[in-house]
Amino acid sequence: MNALILSAVWGIILMFCSILVKNKKAIGYIAAFGLLTILIGNIAETYGTQITHYNIYPMLLLDRFGLFFNTIAILSVFIFVLLSLIEIRKTGKYEPEFYTLIFFVICGITILTSYQNLLMLFLGIEILSIPLYILTGSDKKNLKSNEASLKYFLMGAFSTGIMLLGIALIYGGTGTFNLQPGTHSVVGTYHGISFLEITGLIILMCAMAFKASVAPFHFWAPDVYDGAPTPVTSFMATIVKVTAFLAFFKLCEVRVTDTLTAVNWKMIFAVMIVATLFIGNITAIFQQSVKRMLAYSSIAQAGFMMYAIFSLNDVAKEGLLYYAMAYSLATIGLFATMSKIKDYSFEGYNGLAKKQPTLAATNAIFLLSLSGIPLTAGFFAKYYMLASVIKTGSYTWLVIVGVCFATISIYYYFRLIQAMYFKTGNPDTIDHEITPFFKNMLIVVAVFIVLLGAFPQLLLNWFYF
Amino acid sequence: MNALVLCIPLLPFLGFLLVGLLRNKLSRPLIGIIASGVIGIAFILTLVIFFTHYYPANAITYFDFIKNSKYDISFSFQVDQLSTLFMLIITGVGFLIHVYSTSYMHDETPAHYARYFSYLNLFVFSMLLLVLGANYVIMFLGWEGVGICSYLLIGYWFKNNQYNYAARKAFVMNRIGDVGFLLAIFWLLARLGSVDYSIVFSNASALSTTDVTGITILLFVGAIGKSAQIPLYTWLPDAMAGPTPVSALIHAATMVTAGIYMIARSNVLYSLSPVSMDIVAVIGVATALLAASIALFQNDIKKVLAYSTVSQLGFMFVALGVGAYTTGVFHVMTHAFFKALLFLGAGSVIHAMGGEQDITKMGGLRKKIPITYWTFLIAVLAISGFPFTSGFISKDEILLAAYSHSKPLFWLTAFAAVLTAFYMFRVFMLVFLGGFRGNDEQQHHLHESPPAMTIPLIILAILAAIGGFVQLPELFGGHDYFNQFLAPVVPALSHEGENLATKEYALLGGTIVGLIIIFLFCKKWFAVNQFEGKYTGFKNVLAHKWYMDELYDAIIVNPFNNIAGFLKSIVEKSGIDGIVNGVGRFIQYSSRQVRLIQSGLVGNYILIMVLSITVLFMVFWNQDLIIAFLQKIF
């Protein structure tokens, strides 16, 4: 509850800041401080200290898994804010409101990591999404940003409709909104489970797949990611996406394994995984803009995170946490660097290593991590995902498919490394914005990725204390 | 004391690191002092072990090397009489050769000079590891280490491609042997679950005959490669491409005797397998004869010595094969003295001749380089078995052991010994006696080598002359010190019940008569200048080394090259490259097509999403059919 309360409070504080605080530069630091308090509050709760005690059980349940994920998410937001201070100030005129919306998104995240009721799931998804519609359009004067915002809203509304339809059907089938299934109706059953519930679940899954940008519901992602201001893209493609995955995982963990064992759900997931990996990786190859390439790369990475939902075992659970960390950090770093470069195309990166060696080196580490090269966090992230499938004992071919697509992904990730290091050019960087603080933050993130890659137990041991 | 033992191999390794890493910083004298110094200290430490009789019953374990649920292979050293003897040879002779090298390699630039010494130090480190290891895995580590050092040093003058090919040949041939060694290690692990000497030897009797024979033959395959026996001997003569001190240290005194060390070490296993013993003896005598016959008509001084080494190694294997393990090891020691001396002497001759190696262009060097002349003469007498030199004592023991094993083996070995004396006298006479046959410039250049080269020659000459007395036959007042020294580790061949005195007198007489005949014969034979034309008939076959290299080329190397060429130009170019590039092109093509789905129209997106939901429903409800269908296809 700490994080939920604190983030709502800080959202409101930031709203008032727009009137009360005259020094524009201070706002970013106030927000960063706010995030720090939320982070501390959440860690404190992990160890048993709460601000208030409400009986929220049937609606929310704060288990260690959720709390631990909160920590990862808030930490990622913290790093994201520190890396994007200048960009956020530049995006439109309403900097305090920008942070307010981010705090509300964190509110949504904390609900999604602890929901025990399908209505709370819906509420969380909406609290998460609605600020994002606004954020996507935060660059008001930019036509692309407006277009992206409208597209996102239209398609988001459509998926919300689907989601409600699914929840309603599940209610019809089981007579309860609880995540833990109630009594099944006796008429019209398949393997003892109501048809309505199955239909509802499939539809609900499609809606969740939409939020997590899993093919074939990914269409909004490239256009929105491309059009949104770079900091917003970074935020959406990382923290928001992995949260959607976590909510998805929580749903399937209860509904798919425990109650519907007689029904084989694997096939539907396998189709989604292959489609996502295929579309994400194959389309990324041909992109000329790094931003769009990263948009497709985020779809491809979503394909890998789907493996956790496919296998639904302990390895998958650990792996999802690990993947969230590894993927978010690397992508945030890449987007932060990109916002310092005026030309987003691959040519714009030519010769970056000569001009900005720190940026090039850290970005190379991020890209290596995303492509899953050993000694970076990305390797173990992928390893856990594939290992979870192997542990289920069947569908080994899905692992082979995953490895093949991981190989293909190396092509477009390394293309950027090649541009930075082996091509000559004079990249158009915004030099006065590349402060020593920014560089040091990038180095910290890169070191963290390598540490996680070298000692994967670092993170997971903490999860188990 | 255990730390002291660890220091012995570590010192040369330290020298390797120092000299190798600082090769651009250090001056030449400093490099020489460091590199020779570490070996010198290692020699002194070995002497400490030798004189304090520090031979712990159990292996000294330093740390776990490979440990898992099934095997526990530790990094441990076995200090006993056998390893101490080899350590004395390696560090002692090694030190002399290091000192000799400081002068011999003086024309190199400091960086290359340092490279040479760092390789040499690394070699000594690996060789010490080989003999000190308390299990076969550590031995294998050293075994591979000396292999790579040998490769690096043969190809030391890497700008000459011929030398690089020689280095490669040595490496590949050694690797063939190594496969045998490795398989033997695996076999031991599979059967006994351990490669520690103590465990293997105490449980050896539990092995079946097939296992013991297989393991020992595979070990011997390793020895064949490292010690240059038939059929893997052709690399050693080519290895003469390396600097002469390298030939002395690696390709005469130490590395090539690793095979003998290995078999002497594994004597418990070999004694259980008469078949393997016979194979060792037969290969040994065949190699001894073949190499000696080739050495008769070689004109390159180092080539003659190389074939002589191959032949002498054959003698050692004969000794091992008939069960006279200590005799084999004894010949390793005496051979280390006189063959290192011969090589260093040859180096001194080459040095004096300004790089000339062809003995037909030498002659009459006796007066010009007296120290080299006298020491070389002692070495020639020793290797030819002149009475009471070290070579006489060790070789006579081999012949005696062969005689008590089988008569034909004895006669063949004895014949090889006669050939040895013959080709050595030929070299000696052509180099030092008669008139000078080189050009004027060379004659003008002739000079005795500096003390750094001649002092090691003198020390080795003393050892070659009297080093054999530790194992003087009782008949002449000896006490078998050598055999008694090694007795705790390696059993000696028992000659009980045989009439030794008669045989030894016969051998002594035979040797003296033979040497006189050979000397006279040689003198007459080499009096006429017979180097104008080419060799004919059988001599020609011998001069061409029985056409062995040509044979190997024809049946192995060329077919292999042809297959490689076929794979390279046909299979890879059109096959694999085509597939790889094809896959890439296909992915690029599909990328271009798939991209088009992303049309940018929200209406289209939502339509596809709705259709997808429908498809997912169909997939879900018909998954049994789909799975059955897929199973039918794959």
Side-chain angles (χ1 to χ4, degrees):
Chain A
M1 280 295 278
N2 288 359
L4 181 58
I5 295 167
L6 280 171
S7 60
V9 169
W10 272 104
I12 294 162
I13 292 174
L14 259 291
M15 265 157 89
F16 282 105
C17 278
S18 69
I19 313 167
L20 299 177
V21 179
K22 291 287 168 244
N23 184 357
K24 287 250 172 188
K25 283 195 171 173
I27 289 174
Y29 297 112
I30 294 173
F33 176 72
L35 283 167
L36 211 55
T37 57
I38 299 174
L39 188 60
I40 292 165
N42 189 65
I43 292 174
E45 186 166 3
T46 322
Y47 290 93
T49 317
Q50 292 190 17
I51 301 175
T52 54
H53 290 277
Y54 285 118
N55 187 10
I56 47 167
Y57 168 64
M59 291 291 153
L60 301 177
L61 177 69
L62 293 138
D63 56 357
R64 174 165 295 165
F65 181 57
L67 286 170
F68 189 71
F69 181 82
N70 280 352
T71 309
I72 291 178
I74 298 165
L75 185 69
S76 305
V77 179
F78 185 63
I79 291 169
F80 157 75
V81 166
L82 288 183
L83 279 171
S84 317
L85 283 173
I86 300 169
E87 268 59 50
I88 294 174
R89 199 175 303 145
K90 282 199 306 184
T91 312
K93 305 197 284 188
Y94 307 101
E95 194 190 358
E97 282 78 358
F98 193 106
Y99 288 116
T100 305
L101 292 172
I102 285 180
F103 280 114
F104 288 155
V105 171
I106 295 176
C107 237
I109 291 173
T110 53
I111 293 175
L112 284 176
T113 53
S114 57
Y115 74 92
Q116 287 296 308
N117 187 301
L118 294 179
L119 284 181
M120 291 313 284
L121 168 66
F122 174 72
L123 212 58
I125 289 281
E126 287 309 298
I127 294 176
L128 188 78
S129 303
I130 291 169
L132 287 176
Y133 301 147
I134 307 168
L135 283 174
T136 310
S138 58
D139 196 359
K140 278 208 301 191
K141 302 262 171 64
N142 188 337
L143 213 60
K144 267 184 92 178
S145 174
N146 284 329
E147 183 199 337
S149 179
L150 190 62
K151 264 187 191 171
Y152 190 20
F153 176 67
L154 284 175
M155 282 189 273
F158 177 74
S159 86
T160 305
I162 290 180
M163 176 180 257
L164 278 177
L165 177 63
I167 293 176
L169 284 171
I170 294 171
Y171 182 78
T174 61
T176 170
F177 282 125
N178 277 344
L179 185 58
Q180 302 294 340
T183 49
H184 301 292
S185 70
V186 281
V187 280
T189 56
Y190 171 77
H191 287 296
I193 298 139
S194 154
F195 274 114
L196 285 178
E197 191 184 348
I198 292 174
T199 314
L201 264 175
I202 292 177
I203 289 177
L204 182 55
M205 280 174 192
C206 291
M208 293 307 292
F210 173 88
K211 290 293 168 197
S213 75
V214 169
F217 308 101
H218 67 283
F219 290 104
W220 61 277
D223 291 2
V224 173
Y225 288 176
D226 198 22
T230 308
V232 180
T233 310
S234 172
F235 188 61
M236 276 198 294
T238 56
I239 298 143
V240 174
K241 177 181 290 212
V242 295
T243 310
F245 261 106
L246 195 88
F248 200 174
F249 187 84
K250 272 176 79 79
L251 174 74
C252 295
E253 195 186 16
V254 176
R255 282 291 176 160
V256 170
T257 48
D258 292 349
T259 63
L260 303 177
T261 39
V263 183
N264 189 0
W265 291 90
K266 300 265 190 241
M267 190 72 194
I268 211 167
F269 290 135
V271 170
M272 281 188 186
I273 287 173
V274 174
T276 313
L277 286 174
F278 177 78
I279 291 189
N281 285 302
I282 298 292
T283 322
I285 282 177
F286 207 73
Q287 301 305 321
Q288 300 306 317
S289 151
V290 176
K291 198 173 179 184
R292 230 177 147 74
M293 181 274 275
L294 283 174
Y296 281 106
S297 131
S298 86
I299 295 173
Q301 302 283 348
F304 273 102
M305 283 187 260
M306 273 301 281
Y307 278 105
I309 291 164
F310 174 87
S311 32
L312 293 171
N313 48 26
D314 278 350
V315 182
K317 213 167 170 176
E318 291 171 12
L320 192 62
L321 290 175
Y322 200 87
Y323 211 109
M325 193 82 204
Y327 164 71
S328 299
L329 287 181
T331 311
I332 287 172
L334 282 171
F335 274 116
T337 311
M338 188 199 292
S339 57
K340 308 292 182 202
I341 294 169
K342 282 185 184 148
D343 183 3
Y344 290 171
S345 69
F346 277 91
E347 280 80 38
Y349 275 74
N350 282 355
L352 189 70
K354 284 258 164 56
K355 197 169 175 196
Q356 293 286 354
T358 322
L359 263 59
T362 49
N363 274 18
I365 291 175
F366 301 149
L367 290 164
L368 291 176
S369 178
L370 284 181
S371 47
I373 305 294
L375 265 190
T376 59
F379 168 74
F380 276 104
K382 283 200 171 67
Y383 165 80
Y384 274 111
M385 288 298 146
L386 298 178
S388 74
V389 178
I390 287 175
K391 222 178 168 196
T392 62
S394 54
Y395 284 88
T396 318
W397 61 269
L398 209 55
V399 178
I400 297 167
V401 170
V403 172
C404 289
F405 280 115
T407 315
I408 291 174
S409 78
I410 289 176
Y411 173 81
Y412 54 84
Y413 290 130
F414 278 35
R415 209 175 133 203
L416 194 57
I417 297 181
Q418 184 198 28
M420 291 191 296
Y421 278 91
F422 305 117
K423 291 199 173 159
T424 50
N426 190 18
D428 201 359
T429 52
I430 310 169
D431 286 334
H432 67 274
E433 284 184 8
I434 304 172
T435 58
F437 175 74
F438 179 78
K439 283 186 192 170
N440 289 338
M441 274 308 290
L442 279 183
I443 292 171
V444 167
V445 175
V447 166
F448 201 61
I449 285 177
V450 174
L451 272 181
L452 278 182
F455 309 102
Q457 291 305 318
L458 222 65
L459 189 71
L460 297 173
N461 279 349
W462 192 46
F463 172 46
Y464 292 113
F465 287 19
Chain B
M1 203 69 176
N2 289 355
L4 188 137
V5 173
L6 188 62
C7 277
I8 295 173
L10 271 190
L11 274 167
F13 188 69
L14 198 71
F16 155 69
L17 288 181
L18 261 179
V19 174
L21 292 176
L22 302 177
R23 64 184 176 284
N24 293 321
K25 306 252 164 52
L26 298 175
S27 67
R28 251 187 301 223
L30 205 55
I31 292 167
I33 289 167
I34 294 175
S36 316
V38 287
I39 310 292
I41 299 170
F43 179 58
I44 292 166
L45 293 180
T46 315
L47 281 178
V48 170
I49 291 179
F50 179 70
F51 284 116
T52 57
H53 303 287
Y54 180 70
Y55 305 128
N58 296 322
I60 309 166
T61 304
Y62 292 99
F63 55 87
D64 286 329
F65 186 56
I66 298 170
K67 190 171 186 176
N68 60 24
S69 56
K70 275 183 138 172
Y71 312 122
D72 185 1
I73 299 167
S74 56
F75 188 92
S76 48
F77 287 163
Q78 179 89 47
V79 182
D80 55 18
Q81 286 82 353
L82 184 62
S83 53
T84 307
L85 175 76
F86 270 89
M87 275 154 66
L88 283 172
I89 297 173
I90 294 160
T91 52
V93 178
F95 175 66
L96 292 177
I97 291 171
H98 271 72
V99 172
Y100 179 93
S101 297
T102 56
S103 173
Y104 188 82
M105 300 301 285
H106 213 265
D107 292 339
E108 300 289 316
T109 60
H112 286 296
Y113 192 72
R115 184 165 64 88
Y116 171 83
F117 276 104
S118 66
Y119 290 165
L120 220 52
N121 273 352
L122 184 64
F123 167 77
V124 174
F125 162 72
S126 311
M127 194 68 205
L128 288 170
L129 208 59
L130 194 160
V131 298
L132 267 173
N135 56 52
Y136 283 103
V137 172
I138 303 297
M139 188 203 265
F140 187 73
L141 274 188
W143 191 270
E144 292 297 286
V146 293
I148 186 70
C149 291
S150 157
Y151 168 81
L152 290 171
L153 283 164
I154 295 169
Y156 170 73
W157 284 304
F158 54 80
K159 284 184 183 153
N160 184 332
N161 249 345
Q162 240 20 64
Y163 292 0
N164 287 336
Y165 291 142
R168 191 178 67 187
K169 187 174 181 181
F171 197 70
V172 170
M173 290 250 175
N174 268 297
R175 293 299 304 172
I176 296 171
D178 293 347
V179 173
F181 191 0
L182 262 184
L183 289 176
I185 293 177
F186 295 153
W187 200 329
L188 276 172
L189 270 178
R191 283 288 179 270
L192 296 176
S194 173
V195 286
D196 288 358
Y197 297 148
S198 53
I199 299 175
V200 169
F201 299 151
S202 54
N203 295 327
S205 49
L207 290 168
S208 70
T209 316
T210 326
D211 286 342
V212 173
T213 309
I215 290 166
T216 45
I217 287 177
L218 283 172
L219 282 177
F220 183 54
V221 169
I224 284 176
K226 196 62 69 191
S227 300
Q229 297 297 293
I230 293 174
L232 300 178
Y233 73 94
T234 55
W235 66 269
L236 187 58
D238 286 16
M240 295 302 124
T244 310
V246 169
S247 311
L249 178 62
I250 301 185
H251 305 122
T254 54
M255 183 186 89
V256 288
T257 61
I260 288 96
Y261 169 77
M262 179 221 266
I263 291 178
R265 178 57 84 188
S266 319
N267 62 71
V268 177
L269 294 175
Y270 279 89
S271 300
L272 288 171
S273 172
V275 180
S276 303
M277 299 275 280
D278 287 344
I279 292 173
V280 172
V282 168
I283 298 241
V285 72
T287 312
L289 273 174
L290 182 89
S293 69
I294 294 173
L296 286 175
F297 292 98
Q298 297 303 310
N299 288 337
D300 182 325
I301 184 166
K302 287 182 72 183
K303 282 271 158 76
V304 178
L305 294 180
Y307 279 107
S308 157
T309 306
V310 176
S311 170
Q312 295 300 311
L313 291 167
F315 279 101
M316 299 174 204
F317 280 110
V318 171
L320 297 174
V322 298
Y325 300 109
T326 49
T327 309
V329 175
F330 182 51
H331 197 56
V332 167
M333 186 179 89
T334 57
H335 177 253
F337 297 152
F338 61 68
K339 187 51 68 64
L341 176 55
L342 281 172
F343 267 112
L344 295 186
S348 182
V349 169
I350 294 166
H351 189 76
M353 292 290 294
E356 180 62 63
Q357 299 195 5
D358 191 342
I359 48 175
T360 62
K361 301 209 173 99
M362 299 175 184
L365 299 185
R366 179 164 63 106
K367 287 274 161 52
K368 307 277 184 182
I369 44 174
I371 302 175
T372 312
Y373 166 73
W374 282 110
T375 52
F376 203 87
L377 175 62
I378 292 171
V380 169
L381 289 177
I383 192 174
S384 315
F386 188 79
F388 303 112
T389 58
S390 59
F392 167 77
I393 298 169
S394 61
K395 215 176 274 183
D396 275 9
E397 241 185 81
I398 294 175
L399 290 174
L400 271 179
Y403 188 79
S404 42
H405 188 76
S406 94
K407 302 289 178 295
L409 190 67
F410 165 77
W411 287 113
L412 289 171
T413 317
F415 183 58
V418 172
L419 289 180
T420 307
F422 194 80
Y423 64 71
M424 279 324 297
F425 274 107
R426 169 173 173 263
V427 168
F428 178 72
M429 288 176 173
L430 284 176
V431 173
F432 290 102
L433 307 181
F436 189 70
R437 292 180 298 272
N439 55 33
D440 290 346
E441 197 188 326
Q442 283 171 331
Q443 190 159 22
H444 185 71
H445 179 265
L446 282 176
H447 62 278
E448 182 57 283
S449 303
M453 286 166 73
T454 49
I455 292 170
L457 286 180
I458 294 167
I459 296 173
L460 282 172
I462 295 167
L463 287 171
I466 62 166
F469 284 124
V470 292
Q471 178 62 10
L472 195 65
E474 280 176 44
L475 183 65
F476 308 115
H479 289 288
D480 272 6
Y481 288 126
F482 189 84
N483 282 0
Q484 282 163 20
F485 175 67
L486 283 183
V489 193
V490 187
L493 187 67
S494 164
H495 285 288
E496 240 170 82
E498 291 178 39
N499 189 357
L500 278 183
T502 325
K503 289 174 191 162
E504 277 175 21
Y505 277 126
L507 275 174
L508 180 64
T511 313
I512 294 171
V513 173
L515 284 178
I516 291 168
I517 293 171
I518 289 168
F519 192 76
L520 293 174
F521 184 57
C522 273
K523 193 132 199 202
K524 196 182 162 215
W525 196 30
F526 296 121
V528 282
N529 197 346
Q530 38 121 353
F531 304 111
E532 297 298 328
K534 285 182 177 171
Y535 292 118
T536 51
F538 188 60
K539 286 183 190 171
N540 193 25
V541 173
L542 290 184
H544 280 94
K545 312 155 194 170
W546 294 89
Y547 293 101
M548 273 299 173
D549 278 330
E550 286 80 357
L551 184 71
Y552 283 3
D553 278 349
I555 61 171
I556 297 169
V557 179
N558 288 341
F560 197 77
N561 280 344
N562 290 341
I563 293 171
F566 170 75
L567 291 176
K568 173 176 168 256
S569 51
I570 311 286
V571 175
E572 199 199 321
K573 276 265 162 57
S574 48
I576 293 171
D577 266 6
I579 294 169
V580 172
N581 292 337
V583 168
R585 234 173 285 145
F586 170 73
I587 289 175
Q588 289 235 327
Y589 171 79
S590 39
S591 176
R592 234 170 296 164
Q593 304 307 315
V594 172
R595 183 175 67 101
L596 299 177
I597 304 174
Q598 196 77 26
S599 58
L601 300 173
V602 178
N604 280 0
Y605 293 168
I606 292 182
L607 179 67
I608 297 175
M609 273 154 65
V610 172
L611 287 177
S612 304
I613 296 176
T614 324
V615 169
L616 284 179
F617 265 110
M618 281 158 63
V619 166
F620 181 77
W621 290 115
N622 297 306
Q623 53 181 311
D624 294 340
L625 276 177
I626 295 170
I627 288 170
F629 178 69
L630 287 177
Q631 275 169 349
K632 215 169 246 176
I633 298 175
F634 298 108

